[in-house]
Amino acid sequence: MRGPIEGIPPLLMPVAHALIQARDELERMTSQIPPEHVWLRPGGAASIGFHVKHLGAALDRLFTYARGERLSEVQKEAFRAEEEPGDPPAALADLVNATTARIDRALDQLRRISDDQLLEHRGVGRAQLPSNVLGLLFHAAEHSTRHTGQLITTAKILANR
């Protein structure tokens, strides 16, 4: 636990702590992962590159829904391209920089959310699945930590090959 974070409402502090931990781990891992490991899929598992791209893009999508907005075409295209390394393949530092920028934007959004907004209904996706602001924010936090853990595990597996 890091204690209070300036500007973050107390009820959203766990979300902020999870996002900051994910950001710190991403930044730490960047220098430890060789470039040739970024897009490998050991045993068919998702690549490190995918986890980093997906973490940032999914965070962006979930926070968009939390604002009560629909996804843009850019966000939809990013979703379809998450598993693709690109040509040439995207460098880990670039992926991490893009994702940490999204984490920082998410933290800024948390600072603008009041307690009375937390239980406001939010529809998710084309089917408008029922959720609320609080549920989306907490899901974004746990989802971010899940993919951070998966990329760390994948990196360890690849390092021991």
Side-chain angles (χ1 to χ4, degrees):
M1 300 299 295
R2 297 167 186 258
I5 300 167
E6 186 176 339
I8 303 291
L11 290 175
L12 298 179
M13 204 65 64
V15 174
H17 284 172
L19 295 177
I20 290 169
Q21 181 181 4
R23 184 185 63 198
D24 290 350
E25 291 291 340
L26 287 173
E27 290 172 343
R28 185 181 62 77
M29 293 299 294
T30 302
S31 64
Q32 298 175 8
I33 298 171
E36 63 272 13
H37 287 185
V38 175
W39 293 103
L40 293 178
R41 299 185 60 186
S47 69
I48 293 166
F50 164 78
H51 286 298
V52 177
K53 281 175 76 171
H54 179 68
L55 189 162
L59 180 65
D60 181 56
R61 290 190 295 270
L62 290 165
F63 271 65
T64 296
Y65 290 132
R67 290 191 304 273
E69 300 171 4
R70 295 204 179 250
L71 300 183
S72 70
E73 288 305 315
V74 171
Q75 288 170 308
K76 292 175 187 177
E77 180 56 36
F79 172 73
R80 292 187 284 271
E82 286 175 356
E83 291 186 16
E84 302 301 321
D87 188 22
L92 183 59
D94 294 336
L95 296 172
V96 168
N97 287 339
T99 295
T100 58
R102 284 179 161 153
I103 291 171
D104 290 340
R105 283 194 298 274
L107 292 168
D108 288 340
Q109 183 174 330
L110 290 177
R111 289 180 176 94
R112 295 188 303 272
I113 296 173
S114 63
D115 290 352
D116 61 327
Q117 293 174 290
L118 295 177
L119 297 179
E120 289 179 4
H121 171 79
R122 294 292 186 260
V124 178
R126 282 178 282 197
Q128 290 295 285
L129 299 171
S131 189
N132 59 40
V133 174
L134 185 63
L136 287 163
L137 298 175
F138 272 82
H139 179 65
E142 65 85 20
H143 185 266
S144 296
T145 58
R146 175 180 178 229
H147 282 281
T148 301
Q150 287 178 309
L151 77 89
I152 291 168
T153 299
T154 302
K156 287 180 180 181
I157 289 168
L158 290 169
N160 292 316
R161 281 180 126 182

